[in-house]
Every structure is written in C-alpha cells, then in structure tokens.
mmCIF file of all heavy atoms in Angstrom:
data_model
loop_
_atom_site.group_PDB
_atom_site.id
_atom_site.type_symbol
_atom_site.label_atom_id
_atom_site.label_comp_id
_atom_site.label_asym_id
_atom_site.label_seq_id
_atom_site.Cartn_x
_atom_site.Cartn_y
_atom_site.Cartn_z
ATOM 1 N N GLY A 1 -23.385 38.418 -8.230
ATOM 2 C CA GLY A 1 -22.786 37.445 -9.139
ATOM 3 C C GLY A 1 -23.481 36.105 -9.055
ATOM 4 O O GLY A 1 -24.284 35.841 -8.162
ATOM 5 N N LEU A 2 -23.143 35.256 -9.989
ATOM 6 C CA LEU A 2 -23.723 33.922 -10.017
ATOM 7 C C LEU A 2 -22.989 33.009 -9.040
ATOM 8 O O LEU A 2 -21.788 33.185 -8.812
ATOM 9 C CB LEU A 2 -23.619 33.339 -11.428
ATOM 10 C CG LEU A 2 -24.406 34.061 -12.518
ATOM 11 C CD1 LEU A 2 -24.070 33.496 -13.880
ATOM 12 C CD2 LEU A 2 -25.897 33.945 -12.265
ATOM 13 N N PRO A 3 -23.668 32.038 -8.483
ATOM 14 C CA PRO A 3 -22.981 31.096 -7.592
ATOM 15 C C PRO A 3 -21.862 30.341 -8.302
ATOM 16 O O PRO A 3 -20.852 30.004 -7.697
ATOM 17 C CB PRO A 3 -24.087 30.137 -7.158
ATOM 18 C CG PRO A 3 -25.363 30.841 -7.410
ATOM 19 C CD PRO A 3 -25.107 31.813 -8.520
ATOM 20 N N VAL A 4 -22.029 30.116 -9.602
ATOM 21 C CA VAL A 4 -21.001 29.409 -10.354
ATOM 22 C C VAL A 4 -19.718 30.240 -10.409
ATOM 23 O O VAL A 4 -18.611 29.723 -10.237
ATOM 24 C CB VAL A 4 -21.508 29.082 -11.781
ATOM 25 C CG1 VAL A 4 -20.410 28.489 -12.631
ATOM 26 C CG2 VAL A 4 -22.699 28.155 -11.716
ATOM 27 N N ASP A 5 -19.876 31.551 -10.638
ATOM 28 C CA ASP A 5 -18.702 32.423 -10.684
ATOM 29 C C ASP A 5 -17.999 32.481 -9.332
ATOM 30 O O ASP A 5 -16.770 32.486 -9.262
ATOM 31 C CB ASP A 5 -19.107 33.832 -11.123
ATOM 32 C CG ASP A 5 -19.551 33.880 -12.576
ATOM 33 O OD1 ASP A 5 -19.096 33.004 -13.357
ATOM 34 O OD2 ASP A 5 -20.346 34.774 -12.921
ATOM 35 N N GLN A 6 -18.776 32.511 -8.259
ATOM 36 C CA GLN A 6 -18.179 32.521 -6.920
ATOM 37 C C GLN A 6 -17.428 31.216 -6.671
ATOM 38 O O GLN A 6 -16.333 31.224 -6.106
ATOM 39 C CB GLN A 6 -19.266 32.717 -5.863
ATOM 40 C CG GLN A 6 -19.908 34.089 -5.917
ATOM 41 C CD GLN A 6 -21.103 34.196 -4.980
ATOM 42 O OE1 GLN A 6 -21.527 33.217 -4.388
ATOM 43 N NE2 GLN A 6 -21.643 35.404 -4.853
ATOM 44 N N TYR A 7 -17.984 30.123 -7.115
ATOM 45 C CA TYR A 7 -17.329 28.817 -6.964
ATOM 46 C C TYR A 7 -16.026 28.788 -7.742
ATOM 47 O O TYR A 7 -15.002 28.324 -7.247
ATOM 48 C CB TYR A 7 -18.280 27.714 -7.441
ATOM 49 C CG TYR A 7 -17.663 26.345 -7.459
ATOM 50 C CD1 TYR A 7 -17.446 25.648 -6.276
ATOM 51 C CD2 TYR A 7 -17.282 25.750 -8.653
ATOM 52 C CE1 TYR A 7 -16.880 24.387 -6.290
ATOM 53 C CE2 TYR A 7 -16.713 24.493 -8.679
ATOM 54 C CZ TYR A 7 -16.517 23.819 -7.492
ATOM 55 O OH TYR A 7 -15.942 22.584 -7.509
ATOM 56 N N ARG A 8 -16.049 29.299 -8.961
ATOM 57 C CA ARG A 8 -14.834 29.313 -9.779
ATOM 58 C C ARG A 8 -13.753 30.181 -9.147
ATOM 59 O O ARG A 8 -12.573 29.829 -9.171
ATOM 60 C CB ARG A 8 -15.152 29.813 -11.184
ATOM 61 C CG ARG A 8 -15.934 28.815 -12.001
ATOM 62 C CD ARG A 8 -16.254 29.351 -13.365
ATOM 63 N NE ARG A 8 -17.028 28.373 -14.122
ATOM 64 C CZ ARG A 8 -17.793 28.663 -15.145
ATOM 65 N NH1 ARG A 8 -17.895 29.900 -15.570
ATOM 66 N NH2 ARG A 8 -18.448 27.711 -15.770
ATOM 67 N N LYS A 9 -14.140 31.296 -8.583
ATOM 68 C CA LYS A 9 -13.161 32.147 -7.901
ATOM 69 C C LYS A 9 -12.541 31.418 -6.718
ATOM 70 O O LYS A 9 -11.336 31.495 -6.483
ATOM 71 C CB LYS A 9 -13.820 33.443 -7.422
ATOM 72 C CG LYS A 9 -14.038 34.456 -8.508
ATOM 73 C CD LYS A 9 -14.631 35.726 -7.931
ATOM 74 C CE LYS A 9 -14.913 36.742 -8.995
ATOM 75 N NZ LYS A 9 -15.528 37.962 -8.443
ATOM 76 N N GLN A 10 -13.370 30.714 -5.969
ATOM 77 C CA GLN A 10 -12.875 29.980 -4.802
ATOM 78 C C GLN A 10 -11.911 28.880 -5.223
ATOM 79 O O GLN A 10 -10.847 28.710 -4.626
ATOM 80 C CB GLN A 10 -14.052 29.398 -4.028
ATOM 81 C CG GLN A 10 -13.645 28.632 -2.789
ATOM 82 C CD GLN A 10 -14.835 28.002 -2.082
ATOM 83 O OE1 GLN A 10 -15.961 28.070 -2.571
ATOM 84 N NE2 GLN A 10 -14.597 27.394 -0.937
ATOM 85 N N ILE A 11 -12.239 28.142 -6.277
ATOM 86 C CA ILE A 11 -11.365 27.080 -6.762
ATOM 87 C C ILE A 11 -10.064 27.668 -7.281
ATOM 88 O O ILE A 11 -8.987 27.125 -7.048
ATOM 89 C CB ILE A 11 -12.080 26.250 -7.866
ATOM 90 C CG1 ILE A 11 -13.287 25.531 -7.291
ATOM 91 C CG2 ILE A 11 -11.120 25.269 -8.523
ATOM 92 C CD1 ILE A 11 -12.963 24.543 -6.200
ATOM 93 N N GLY A 12 -10.148 28.783 -7.991
ATOM 94 C CA GLY A 12 -8.950 29.452 -8.491
ATOM 95 C C GLY A 12 -8.031 29.871 -7.358
ATOM 96 O O GLY A 12 -6.809 29.744 -7.450
ATOM 97 N N LYS A 13 -8.589 30.361 -6.292
ATOM 98 C CA LYS A 13 -7.772 30.761 -5.141
ATOM 99 C C LYS A 13 -7.103 29.547 -4.504
ATOM 100 O O LYS A 13 -5.964 29.615 -4.056
ATOM 101 C CB LYS A 13 -8.638 31.480 -4.105
ATOM 102 C CG LYS A 13 -9.064 32.873 -4.531
ATOM 103 C CD LYS A 13 -9.965 33.507 -3.492
ATOM 104 C CE LYS A 13 -10.468 34.848 -3.963
ATOM 105 N NZ LYS A 13 -11.412 35.444 -3.009
ATOM 106 N N GLN A 14 -7.788 28.426 -4.476
ATOM 107 C CA GLN A 14 -7.195 27.217 -3.912
ATOM 108 C C GLN A 14 -6.042 26.726 -4.776
ATOM 109 O O GLN A 14 -5.048 26.220 -4.270
ATOM 110 C CB GLN A 14 -8.255 26.122 -3.782
ATOM 111 C CG GLN A 14 -9.274 26.399 -2.701
ATOM 112 C CD GLN A 14 -10.362 25.346 -2.658
ATOM 113 O OE1 GLN A 14 -10.345 24.396 -3.417
ATOM 114 N NE2 GLN A 14 -11.334 25.538 -1.768
ATOM 115 N N ASP A 15 -6.162 26.877 -6.105
ATOM 116 C CA ASP A 15 -5.098 26.443 -6.998
ATOM 117 C C ASP A 15 -3.843 27.286 -6.835
ATOM 118 O O ASP A 15 -2.734 26.800 -7.008
ATOM 119 C CB ASP A 15 -5.560 26.471 -8.459
ATOM 120 C CG ASP A 15 -6.427 25.268 -8.805
ATOM 121 O OD1 ASP A 15 -6.440 24.312 -8.010
ATOM 122 O OD2 ASP A 15 -7.061 25.288 -9.868
ATOM 123 N N TYR A 16 -3.989 28.557 -6.525
ATOM 124 C CA TYR A 16 -2.815 29.408 -6.330
ATOM 125 C C TYR A 16 -2.010 28.972 -5.108
ATOM 126 O O TYR A 16 -0.805 29.179 -5.043
ATOM 127 C CB TYR A 16 -3.213 30.878 -6.170
ATOM 128 C CG TYR A 16 -3.643 31.510 -7.463
ATOM 129 C CD1 TYR A 16 -4.889 32.106 -7.587
ATOM 130 C CD2 TYR A 16 -2.798 31.511 -8.576
ATOM 131 C CE1 TYR A 16 -5.277 32.694 -8.774
ATOM 132 C CE2 TYR A 16 -3.179 32.082 -9.767
ATOM 133 C CZ TYR A 16 -4.418 32.676 -9.866
ATOM 134 O OH TYR A 16 -4.797 33.248 -11.049
ATOM 135 N N LYS A 17 -2.665 28.348 -4.162
ATOM 136 C CA LYS A 17 -1.975 27.901 -2.953
ATOM 137 C C LYS A 17 -1.118 26.660 -3.206
ATOM 138 O O LYS A 17 -0.196 26.376 -2.460
ATOM 139 C CB LYS A 17 -2.994 27.591 -1.854
ATOM 140 C CG LYS A 17 -3.757 28.802 -1.365
ATOM 141 C CD LYS A 17 -4.815 28.394 -0.359
ATOM 142 C CE LYS A 17 -5.677 29.567 0.042
ATOM 143 N NZ LYS A 17 -6.757 29.169 0.934
ATOM 144 N N LYS A 18 -1.421 25.923 -4.278
ATOM 145 C CA LYS A 18 -0.699 24.688 -4.554
ATOM 146 C C LYS A 18 0.646 24.980 -5.213
ATOM 147 O O LYS A 18 0.833 25.997 -5.859
ATOM 148 C CB LYS A 18 -1.523 23.795 -5.485
ATOM 149 C CG LYS A 18 -2.799 23.286 -4.873
ATOM 150 C CD LYS A 18 -3.539 22.421 -5.865
ATOM 151 C CE LYS A 18 -4.850 21.914 -5.293
ATOM 152 N NZ LYS A 18 -5.587 21.133 -6.287
ATOM 153 N N THR A 19 1.546 24.035 -5.073
ATOM 154 C CA THR A 19 2.850 24.171 -5.719
ATOM 155 C C THR A 19 2.749 23.693 -7.166
ATOM 156 O O THR A 19 1.796 23.026 -7.550
ATOM 157 C CB THR A 19 3.906 23.324 -4.976
ATOM 158 O OG1 THR A 19 3.510 21.951 -5.040
ATOM 159 C CG2 THR A 19 4.030 23.771 -3.525
ATOM 160 N N LYS A 20 3.738 24.023 -7.963
ATOM 161 C CA LYS A 20 3.714 23.643 -9.380
ATOM 162 C C LYS A 20 3.679 22.126 -9.586
ATOM 163 O O LYS A 20 2.920 21.644 -10.418
ATOM 164 C CB LYS A 20 4.906 24.255 -10.122
ATOM 165 C CG LYS A 20 4.696 25.708 -10.456
ATOM 166 C CD LYS A 20 5.777 26.196 -11.401
ATOM 167 C CE LYS A 20 5.502 27.636 -11.793
ATOM 168 N NZ LYS A 20 6.447 28.111 -12.791
ATOM 169 N N PRO A 21 4.474 21.355 -8.855
ATOM 170 C CA PRO A 21 4.378 19.894 -9.051
ATOM 171 C C PRO A 21 2.998 19.336 -8.697
ATOM 172 O O PRO A 21 2.505 18.424 -9.365
ATOM 173 C CB PRO A 21 5.449 19.328 -8.125
ATOM 174 C CG PRO A 21 6.417 20.439 -7.929
ATOM 175 C CD PRO A 21 5.609 21.691 -7.999
ATOM 176 N N ALA A 22 2.366 19.895 -7.684
ATOM 177 C CA ALA A 22 1.031 19.426 -7.304
ATOM 178 C C ALA A 22 0.017 19.778 -8.386
ATOM 179 O O ALA A 22 -0.860 18.972 -8.715
ATOM 180 C CB ALA A 22 0.609 20.031 -5.977
ATOM 181 N N LEU A 23 0.127 20.970 -8.972
ATOM 182 C CA LEU A 23 -0.774 21.360 -10.051
ATOM 183 C C LEU A 23 -0.564 20.473 -11.284
ATOM 184 O O LEU A 23 -1.519 20.067 -11.939
ATOM 185 C CB LEU A 23 -0.558 22.831 -10.434
ATOM 186 C CG LEU A 23 -1.089 23.866 -9.446
ATOM 187 C CD1 LEU A 23 -0.629 25.258 -9.851
ATOM 188 C CD2 LEU A 23 -2.594 23.808 -9.390
ATOM 189 N N LYS A 24 0.698 20.179 -11.573
ATOM 190 C CA LYS A 24 1.009 19.338 -12.725
ATOM 191 C C LYS A 24 0.458 17.930 -12.518
ATOM 192 O O LYS A 24 -0.111 17.331 -13.443
ATOM 193 C CB LYS A 24 2.513 19.294 -12.947
ATOM 194 C CG LYS A 24 2.919 18.593 -14.209
ATOM 195 C CD LYS A 24 4.412 18.682 -14.432
ATOM 196 C CE LYS A 24 4.813 18.008 -15.727
ATOM 197 N NZ LYS A 24 6.251 18.062 -15.974
ATOM 198 N N ALA A 25 0.604 17.403 -11.321
ATOM 199 C CA ALA A 25 0.096 16.069 -11.025
ATOM 200 C C ALA A 25 -1.428 16.030 -11.138
ATOM 201 O O ALA A 25 -2.000 15.071 -11.679
ATOM 202 C CB ALA A 25 0.527 15.637 -9.627
ATOM 203 N N THR A 26 -2.091 17.073 -10.675
ATOM 204 C CA THR A 26 -3.547 17.141 -10.768
ATOM 205 C C THR A 26 -3.988 17.196 -12.219
ATOM 206 O O THR A 26 -4.936 16.525 -12.623
ATOM 207 C CB THR A 26 -4.077 18.378 -10.016
ATOM 208 O OG1 THR A 26 -3.621 18.325 -8.670
ATOM 209 C CG2 THR A 26 -5.583 18.428 -10.024
ATOM 210 N N ARG A 27 -3.285 17.980 -13.028
ATOM 211 C CA ARG A 27 -3.624 18.106 -14.443
ATOM 212 C C ARG A 27 -3.407 16.778 -15.173
ATOM 213 O O ARG A 27 -4.249 16.346 -15.965
ATOM 214 C CB ARG A 27 -2.774 19.203 -15.092
ATOM 215 C CG ARG A 27 -3.098 19.429 -16.560
ATOM 216 C CD ARG A 27 -2.314 20.594 -17.137
ATOM 217 N NE ARG A 27 -0.891 20.527 -16.861
ATOM 218 C CZ ARG A 27 -0.007 19.872 -17.612
ATOM 219 N NH1 ARG A 27 -0.401 19.226 -18.671
ATOM 220 N NH2 ARG A 27 1.272 19.873 -17.298
ATOM 221 N N LEU A 28 -2.289 16.109 -14.889
ATOM 222 C CA LEU A 28 -2.013 14.823 -15.534
ATOM 223 C C LEU A 28 -3.035 13.760 -15.140
ATOM 224 O O LEU A 28 -3.442 12.936 -15.962
ATOM 225 C CB LEU A 28 -0.599 14.359 -15.193
ATOM 226 C CG LEU A 28 0.535 15.174 -15.821
ATOM 227 C CD1 LEU A 28 1.886 14.703 -15.280
ATOM 228 C CD2 LEU A 28 0.501 15.073 -17.329
ATOM 229 N N LYS A 29 -3.445 13.793 -13.883
ATOM 230 C CA LYS A 29 -4.444 12.836 -13.407
ATOM 231 C C LYS A 29 -5.784 13.062 -14.111
ATOM 232 O O LYS A 29 -6.454 12.106 -14.517
ATOM 233 C CB LYS A 29 -4.603 12.985 -11.896
ATOM 234 C CG LYS A 29 -5.497 11.964 -11.262
ATOM 235 C CD LYS A 29 -5.519 12.154 -9.754
ATOM 236 C CE LYS A 29 -6.428 11.154 -9.088
ATOM 237 N NZ LYS A 29 -6.511 11.358 -7.650
ATOM 238 N N ALA A 30 -6.163 14.317 -14.290
ATOM 239 C CA ALA A 30 -7.419 14.638 -14.970
ATOM 240 C C ALA A 30 -7.361 14.224 -16.441
ATOM 241 O O ALA A 30 -8.333 13.694 -16.989
ATOM 242 C CB ALA A 30 -7.720 16.123 -14.843
ATOM 243 N N GLU A 31 -6.231 14.456 -17.083
ATOM 244 C CA GLU A 31 -6.086 14.071 -18.493
ATOM 245 C C GLU A 31 -6.119 12.548 -18.650
ATOM 246 O O GLU A 31 -6.725 12.027 -19.589
ATOM 247 C CB GLU A 31 -4.791 14.624 -19.071
ATOM 248 C CG GLU A 31 -4.816 16.115 -19.314
ATOM 249 C CD GLU A 31 -3.496 16.649 -19.829
ATOM 250 O OE1 GLU A 31 -2.544 15.859 -19.979
ATOM 251 O OE2 GLU A 31 -3.421 17.857 -20.083
ATOM 252 N N ALA A 32 -5.467 11.837 -17.746
ATOM 253 C CA ALA A 32 -5.464 10.372 -17.816
ATOM 254 C C ALA A 32 -6.877 9.831 -17.632
ATOM 255 O O ALA A 32 -7.280 8.880 -18.309
ATOM 256 C CB ALA A 32 -4.534 9.801 -16.759
ATOM 257 N N LYS A 33 -7.629 10.434 -16.748
ATOM 258 C CA LYS A 33 -9.001 9.992 -16.511
ATOM 259 C C LYS A 33 -9.865 10.253 -17.742
ATOM 260 O O LYS A 33 -10.702 9.440 -18.115
ATOM 261 C CB LYS A 33 -9.580 10.727 -15.302
ATOM 262 C CG LYS A 33 -10.920 10.251 -14.876
ATOM 263 C CD LYS A 33 -11.371 10.962 -13.619
ATOM 264 C CE LYS A 33 -12.719 10.470 -13.152
ATOM 265 N NZ LYS A 33 -13.181 11.171 -11.963
ATOM 266 N N LYS A 34 -9.636 11.386 -18.407
ATOM 267 C CA LYS A 34 -10.411 11.739 -19.585
ATOM 268 C C LYS A 34 -10.133 10.769 -20.733
ATOM 269 O O LYS A 34 -11.034 10.333 -21.429
ATOM 270 C CB LYS A 34 -10.085 13.171 -20.020
ATOM 271 C CG LYS A 34 -10.893 13.653 -21.221
ATOM 272 C CD LYS A 34 -10.671 15.111 -21.514
ATOM 273 C CE LYS A 34 -9.291 15.346 -22.055
ATOM 274 N NZ LYS A 34 -9.083 16.722 -22.526
ATOM 275 N N TYR A 35 -8.875 10.415 -20.948
ATOM 276 C CA TYR A 35 -8.519 9.550 -22.065
ATOM 277 C C TYR A 35 -8.818 8.075 -21.773
ATOM 278 O O TYR A 35 -9.050 7.314 -22.693
ATOM 279 C CB TYR A 35 -7.043 9.709 -22.429
ATOM 280 C CG TYR A 35 -6.738 11.056 -23.036
ATOM 281 C CD1 TYR A 35 -5.745 11.871 -22.513
ATOM 282 C CD2 TYR A 35 -7.449 11.521 -24.133
ATOM 283 C CE1 TYR A 35 -5.471 13.104 -23.065
ATOM 284 C CE2 TYR A 35 -7.179 12.749 -24.688
ATOM 285 C CZ TYR A 35 -6.192 13.547 -24.157
ATOM 286 O OH TYR A 35 -5.927 14.763 -24.701
ATOM 287 N N SER A 36 -8.805 7.680 -20.529
ATOM 288 C CA SER A 36 -9.032 6.269 -20.212
ATOM 289 C C SER A 36 -10.466 5.854 -20.489
ATOM 290 O O SER A 36 -10.723 4.690 -20.768
ATOM 291 C CB SER A 36 -8.679 5.988 -18.759
ATOM 292 O OG SER A 36 -9.600 6.626 -17.902
ATOM 293 N N SER A 37 -11.415 6.778 -20.421
ATOM 294 C CA SER A 37 -12.801 6.412 -20.685
ATOM 295 C C SER A 37 -12.987 5.998 -22.141
ATOM 296 O O SER A 37 -13.819 5.139 -22.442
ATOM 297 C CB SER A 37 -13.739 7.566 -20.329
ATOM 298 O OG SER A 37 -13.530 8.647 -21.213
ATOM 299 N N GLY A 38 -12.213 6.582 -23.068
ATOM 300 C CA GLY A 38 -12.291 6.194 -24.472
ATOM 301 C C GLY A 38 -11.826 4.775 -24.690
ATOM 302 O O GLY A 38 -12.433 4.007 -25.441
ATOM 303 N N PHE A 39 -10.735 4.389 -24.040
ATOM 304 C CA PHE A 39 -10.236 3.023 -24.142
ATOM 305 C C PHE A 39 -11.217 2.043 -23.517
ATOM 306 O O PHE A 39 -11.440 0.942 -24.032
ATOM 307 C CB PHE A 39 -8.870 2.886 -23.469
ATOM 308 C CG PHE A 39 -7.788 3.660 -24.165
ATOM 309 C CD1 PHE A 39 -7.071 4.631 -23.485
ATOM 310 C CD2 PHE A 39 -7.488 3.427 -25.493
ATOM 311 C CE1 PHE A 39 -6.080 5.340 -24.117
ATOM 312 C CE2 PHE A 39 -6.497 4.131 -26.139
ATOM 313 C CZ PHE A 39 -5.792 5.095 -25.452
ATOM 314 N N LYS A 40 -11.813 2.441 -22.425
ATOM 315 C CA LYS A 40 -12.772 1.574 -21.742
ATOM 316 C C LYS A 40 -13.989 1.332 -22.631
ATOM 317 O O LYS A 40 -14.459 0.194 -22.751
ATOM 318 C CB LYS A 40 -13.192 2.235 -20.425
ATOM 319 C CG LYS A 40 -14.081 1.398 -19.559
ATOM 320 C CD LYS A 40 -14.378 2.119 -18.259
ATOM 321 C CE LYS A 40 -15.247 1.305 -17.353
ATOM 322 N NZ LYS A 40 -15.560 2.009 -16.109
ATOM 323 N N ASP A 41 -14.484 2.395 -23.278
ATOM 324 C CA ASP A 41 -15.635 2.243 -24.162
ATOM 325 C C ASP A 41 -15.298 1.357 -25.356
ATOM 326 O O ASP A 41 -16.099 0.506 -25.746
ATOM 327 C CB ASP A 41 -16.118 3.610 -24.644
ATOM 328 C CG ASP A 41 -16.722 4.443 -23.527
ATOM 329 O OD1 ASP A 41 -17.070 3.857 -22.482
ATOM 330 O OD2 ASP A 41 -16.838 5.673 -23.696
ATOM 331 N N ALA A 42 -14.124 1.550 -25.937
ATOM 332 C CA ALA A 42 -13.712 0.739 -27.084
ATOM 333 C C ALA A 42 -13.594 -0.728 -26.681
ATOM 334 O O ALA A 42 -14.016 -1.626 -27.422
ATOM 335 C CB ALA A 42 -12.394 1.250 -27.649
ATOM 336 N N PHE A 43 -13.039 -0.979 -25.527
ATOM 337 C CA PHE A 43 -12.910 -2.355 -25.034
ATOM 338 C C PHE A 43 -14.280 -2.996 -24.835
ATOM 339 O O PHE A 43 -14.487 -4.165 -25.185
ATOM 340 C CB PHE A 43 -12.117 -2.383 -23.721
ATOM 341 C CG PHE A 43 -12.026 -3.748 -23.111
ATOM 342 C CD1 PHE A 43 -11.204 -4.715 -23.652
ATOM 343 C CD2 PHE A 43 -12.798 -4.073 -22.004
ATOM 344 C CE1 PHE A 43 -11.126 -5.982 -23.099
ATOM 345 C CE2 PHE A 43 -12.738 -5.333 -21.435
ATOM 346 C CZ PHE A 43 -11.897 -6.290 -21.994
#
C-alpha cells in the first residue's frame, strides 16, 4: 500500500478512540480555522 493510505488508516484508528464531544470540538476548531482565513484575507 501507499504510505498515505497507511497514514490515513492510523489517523482513522486514533479518531475511533476519541469521544464524541472531543471529535465535535476538533471538527469545529478545523472549520473555524478554515473560515477565519477568508475574513483575514478580506481585512
């Protein structure tokens, strides 16, 4: 397999270990970071 696929499998396994609130917080943090760059560029 490709190293990228092995990395994705490893990350997926780590996510299963997390609780739902932790996963939700991680997702919200990533979304906030993605949208904040647009405001920063506009400013």
Side-chain angles (χ1 to χ4, degrees):
L2 296 173
V4 174
D5 291 334
Q6 293 173 353
Y7 174 75
R8 288 179 181 158
K9 282 183 182 178
Q10 181 183 5
I11 296 299
K13 288 178 184 176
Q14 289 176 1
D15 282 346
Y16 286 124
K17 294 176 186 176
K18 294 180 181 177
T19 61
K20 281 190 177 185
L23 286 172
K24 187 175 182 180
T26 304
R27 182 176 50 87
L28 290 174
K29 186 177 179 183
E31 287 177 359
K33 186 176 181 181
K34 182 173 70 172
Y35 291 126
S36 68
S37 67
F39 294 122
K40 185 177 181 181
D41 292 342
F43 176 74

